[in-house]
Amino acid sequence: MIEQIDLTMVNWARATFALTAMYHWIFVPLTLGLSFICAFFESIYVKTGDEQWKKLTRFWMTLFGINFAIGVATGIILEFEFGTNWSNYSWMVGDIFGVPLAIEGLLAFFLEATFFAVMFFGWNRVSKGAHLFSTWMVAIGSNLSAVWILVANGWMQYPVGMKFNPDLARFEMVDFLAIATSPVAISHFVHVTSAAFLYASLFVVAVSSWYLLKKRHLQFAKRSLTVACTFGLLASLFVAFTGDEHAFHAADVQPMKLAAMEGLYQGEAPTGLVAVGLMNFSKKPGDDQDPFIFEVKIPMALSLLANRDIDSFVPGIDDLVYGNPEKNIMGVEEKMVRGKLAVAGLGEYKAAKKTGDDLAAGKALTLFEKNSDYLGYGYLDYAEQAVPYVPLIFYSFRVMVSLGTFFIFLFLVYLYFLYKDQLEKQALLLKLGAFSFFLGLIAHEAGWIVTEVGRQPWAIQDLLPVSVARSNLDAGTVEVTFFMFLILFTALLIAELKIMTKQISIGPEGD
Amino acid sequence: MFKNAFYLYYDGFRSMVVGRTLWKIIFIKLFIMFAILKVFFFPNFLATNFDTDTERADHVLKNLTEPSSANGNH
């Protein structure tokens, strides 16, 4: 089985990973955001001494607990998949990911597990201040856990602070700080966590709007909405700001991803940003077809977003694939030549070490190191393989941005009617608010599609394509696990929805 | 202090309402994940098929240096 190759296996492994990650991400952002919202509610209770705020805190804390319990450990399945389906990758990054994931495990265990019990069991047992401290620690601990996962993910998008060890076939950490403080990792973390805050705010908006529509728990719902909409508005503004920063970094370290996000094939200066567009699905890199059947562009906006300069040049897919000497852009074909030299150098080094020929090993190592920045390109068969699936990224990006903009207005309108004390009369708005939670989920998943599909074909940007990162397994094995996870996660989601809706229908009085 | 901590957990678990269902789900989920999925469907590929780190490194190097054994589709 070890040496049997099946090229469709990689696609099943990718589908399984995508499925697991997308289901996992239904639970995680709610945990990250709702923990902070609970901390805000409890802070108001401690400050005012108003028992209604305590009741309110306990209700949302129960929903937080349900989500946490259903979602806990769903991420471990991703680690199972690394070891089974992505063993080459797993081996190669073990030294890099070991430290961040160990820190994540320790933080999660000590902060969450210790204070979780006080948060749920400690009412009336510890002082108000100690309980509030525990709630804040759970919120901070949950979010700190996310830091290290996103640092690891950020490294895959922008591998820094490492050196490849050709004897062990491993990327070894040489600069922990460079990895932990990589601009891509930091912008990734702040964007993802602020989006999680937004998502949790939408959850509170949805549940509270439903109460208002049903004319139940009116005071409770309006208090919840005031905090959630304020938090949600701040979070959504921050999401827009950090999203811009994220795209700016992508322009620098993942220009192909940015070009795919914009459906930009021919680079130009200045470059407009497509606000609305209907893509031509038959468009291929290098052909003469127009990438859009219809488009509305904001002039110079992409130049500003990518380079902070409205007149600057932004490379398109064709520039990146075929090269653009005028703009000093190396094409994929040239990178493939250098990548194949790196692969050959690695092979010669391995052979020379086996025969004990140190001179030949030294020469081979020099050849490898000279070209190792392009190692991943050595595994491509043709240049167009370096292009991800553009329409999916283009539309996912627009879904994410459009919904993100919509949420800013939604929170503003909610706050306006809360201020006017007329919210319960706005039935249409409340229905929209109740539905917006699902839109938040769609925006989140679309964001991950942009991030992860956008970096294809790379498991590690420029260094390791997914086709080499995988294990040598047959497709059937992976196919079975795909459907098993589909069943398991769907069952968990149904359980969550059932318990959550039951608790919501009971309301705060049932606490 | 230890007594207080013990009773915090003891009384907390005893007085759970929704929590009882959640703990059942957690245990069933963990059982499926670790006793079934991990054991029967997700063995660590390199740990299962090779005995030493040297063999594992050689296997990965082989995949890296003989691209025909792990060629590029995406």
Side-chain angles (χ1 to χ4, degrees):
Chain A
M1 184 175 76
I2 298 172
E3 301 308 326
Q4 185 185 340
I5 303 303
D6 186 336
L7 289 178
T8 60
M9 176 272 170
V10 73
N11 291 326
W12 275 111
R14 286 175 63 196
T16 307
F17 199 87
L19 173 87
T20 321
M22 289 177 96
Y23 263 104
H24 179 56
W25 202 251
I26 292 172
F27 308 111
V28 175
L30 207 49
T31 297
L32 299 183
L34 211 48
S35 60
F36 267 105
I37 292 179
C38 287
F40 292 141
F41 287 145
E42 191 174 345
S43 299
I44 299 172
Y45 160 62
V46 172
K47 190 168 168 54
T48 62
D50 183 344
E51 286 295 314
Q52 290 302 316
W53 281 105
K54 182 181 177 183
K55 198 175 197 177
L56 191 147
T57 307
R58 293 191 69 162
F59 172 75
W60 291 110
M61 217 173 253
T62 305
L63 300 190
F64 165 79
I66 293 168
N67 180 67
F68 187 92
I70 305 284
V72 74
T74 50
I76 289 174
I77 290 177
L78 296 170
E79 290 187 32
F80 291 175
E81 287 175 39
F82 282 139
T84 306
N85 297 344
W86 303 100
S87 61
N88 290 342
Y89 161 84
S90 198
W91 174 264
M92 292 172 79
V93 301
D95 189 66
I96 304 283
F97 286 9
V99 174
L101 295 182
I103 295 173
E104 189 269 335
L106 285 170
L107 276 173
F109 181 78
F110 284 112
L111 278 173
E112 289 177 51
T114 309
F115 293 107
F116 211 82
V118 180
M119 181 171 141
F120 279 98
F121 302 153
W123 294 103
N124 309 321
R125 277 188 173 271
V126 296
S127 69
K128 277 185 187 177
H131 193 278
L132 179 62
F133 178 74
S134 300
T135 307
W136 274 105
M137 283 298 105
V138 169
I140 292 167
S142 309
N143 282 269
L144 279 180
S145 302
V147 172
W148 301 107
I149 299 291
L150 293 169
V151 162
N153 185 278
W155 184 85
M156 289 159 68
Q157 318 272 344
Y158 180 47
V160 288
M162 56 76 187
K163 193 174 188 321
F164 185 76
N165 180 334
D167 294 306
L168 296 176
R170 291 193 117 150
F171 292 104
E172 291 179 342
M173 188 186 294
V174 292
D175 187 349
F176 174 71
L177 269 185
I179 295 171
T181 61
S182 136
V184 173
I186 290 172
S187 74
H188 200 36
F189 169 71
V190 290
H191 187 58
V192 168
T193 46
S194 52
F197 298 162
L198 190 162
Y199 178 64
S201 302
L202 288 172
F203 175 70
V204 177
V205 168
V207 175
S208 305
S209 299
W210 184 77
Y211 283 141
L212 290 181
L213 282 167
K214 295 284 170 190
K215 312 280 182 215
R216 290 174 59 192
H217 319 299
L218 299 184
Q219 195 60 26
F220 163 89
K222 282 194 272 187
R223 282 186 172 191
S224 300
L225 281 168
T226 305
V227 174
C229 289
T230 307
F231 186 50
L233 178 63
L234 293 172
S236 51
L237 291 170
F238 200 61
V239 166
F241 171 74
T242 55
D244 171 70
E245 193 66 15
H246 206 37
F248 174 66
H249 290 304
D252 186 28
V253 301
Q254 294 177 303
M256 184 67 84
K257 183 193 278 185
L258 185 78
M261 279 156 66
E262 285 304 315
L264 179 69
Y265 281 81
Q266 299 287 340
E268 52 191 3
T271 317
L273 189 145
V274 179
V276 184
L278 191 60
M279 289 212 83
N280 173 4
F281 279 72
S282 60
K283 168 72 183 166
K284 297 276 180 284
D287 70 17
D288 293 331
Q289 293 186 71
D290 196 324
F292 291 98
I293 295 163
F294 161 79
E295 63 183 303
V296 177
K297 271 189 173 180
I298 304 169
M300 298 182 277
L302 187 59
S303 292
L304 182 67
L305 181 137
N307 303 315
R308 304 290 188 249
D309 175 357
I310 54 169
D311 294 319
S312 63
F313 175 83
V314 179
I317 290 168
D318 288 352
D319 300 294
L320 296 164
V321 172
Y322 307 110
N324 183 336
E326 199 183 308
K327 298 289 176 187
N328 206 21
I329 297 171
M330 190 195 289
V332 172
E333 277 183 12
E334 194 180 337
K335 290 180 182 177
M336 282 170 65
V337 170
R338 297 189 66 171
K340 287 182 194 308
L341 285 173
V343 174
L346 191 60
E348 286 164 20
Y349 175 79
K350 185 183 143 197
K353 287 294 270 186
K354 214 169 196 172
T355 55
D357 186 346
D358 288 343
L359 189 66
K363 274 177 76 177
L365 190 59
T366 306
L367 178 68
F368 170 74
E369 286 179 344
K370 203 173 157 191
N371 297 288
S372 62
D373 286 351
Y374 306 96
L375 176 66
Y377 291 92
Y379 303 107
L380 302 185
D381 295 325
Y382 49 93
E384 290 79 5
Q385 271 188 317
V387 183
Y389 184 57
V390 178
L392 180 61
I393 302 158
F394 175 84
Y395 284 116
S396 297
F397 181 66
R398 265 134 205 89
V399 165
M400 176 186 69
V401 173
S402 310
L403 288 173
T405 311
F406 163 73
F407 298 142
I408 294 174
F409 288 106
L410 182 78
F411 290 126
L412 276 171
V413 173
Y414 258 81
L415 285 170
Y416 172 78
F417 283 113
L418 279 165
Y419 176 71
K420 292 280 179 188
D421 200 16
Q422 293 174 354
L423 188 60
E424 59 264 52
K425 294 174 194 161
Q426 314 301 321
L428 194 65
L429 177 65
L430 293 171
K431 283 178 189 166
L432 187 63
F435 182 67
S436 290
F437 172 63
F438 300 102
L439 297 179
L441 180 61
I442 290 168
H444 255 277
E445 302 290 10
W448 276 112
I449 289 171
V450 173
T451 302
E452 298 304 308
V453 179
R455 72 176 155 94
Q456 296 300 317
W458 308 114
I460 304 169
Q461 184 70 35
D462 296 341
L463 299 176
L464 186 72
V466 288
S467 53
V468 184
R470 67 185 178 89
S471 304
N472 299 4
L473 291 168
D474 60 87
T477 313
V478 188
E479 197 176 339
V480 169
T481 56
F482 174 87
F483 289 106
M484 284 177 64
F485 282 149
L486 187 63
I487 294 165
L488 176 68
F489 277 104
T490 305
L492 285 173
L493 189 60
I494 291 169
E496 161 135 356
L497 289 173
K498 208 174 162 187
I499 300 169
M500 197 76 100
T501 48
K502 188 183 170 191
Q503 203 61 30
I504 291 167
S505 67
I506 292 168
E509 271 77 25
D511 184 45
Chain B
M1 188 186 164
F2 288 113
K3 198 175 161 189
N4 285 343
F6 172 77
Y7 278 107
L8 173 78
Y9 282 92
Y10 182 76
D11 293 340
F13 281 118
R14 274 172 60 94
S15 61
M16 282 190 310
V17 184
V18 188
R20 283 176 203 273
T21 313
L22 295 177
W23 274 110
K24 279 180 206 159
I25 291 173
I26 289 172
F27 283 125
I28 293 169
K29 179 174 63 178
L30 291 178
F31 177 78
I32 293 172
M33 280 167 56
F34 285 98
I36 300 174
L37 291 178
K38 177 67 183 159
V39 175
F40 297 106
F41 295 94
F42 284 92
N44 185 301
F45 181 84
L46 294 177
T48 312
N49 290 297
F50 304 96
D51 295 324
T52 65
D53 275 357
T54 310
E55 287 177 5
R56 289 175 194 118
D58 280 346
H59 170 76
V60 176
L61 271 173
K62 189 180 176 197
N63 281 334
L64 288 175
T65 54
E66 295 172 24
S68 58
S69 68
N71 218 338
N73 77 333
H74 68 273

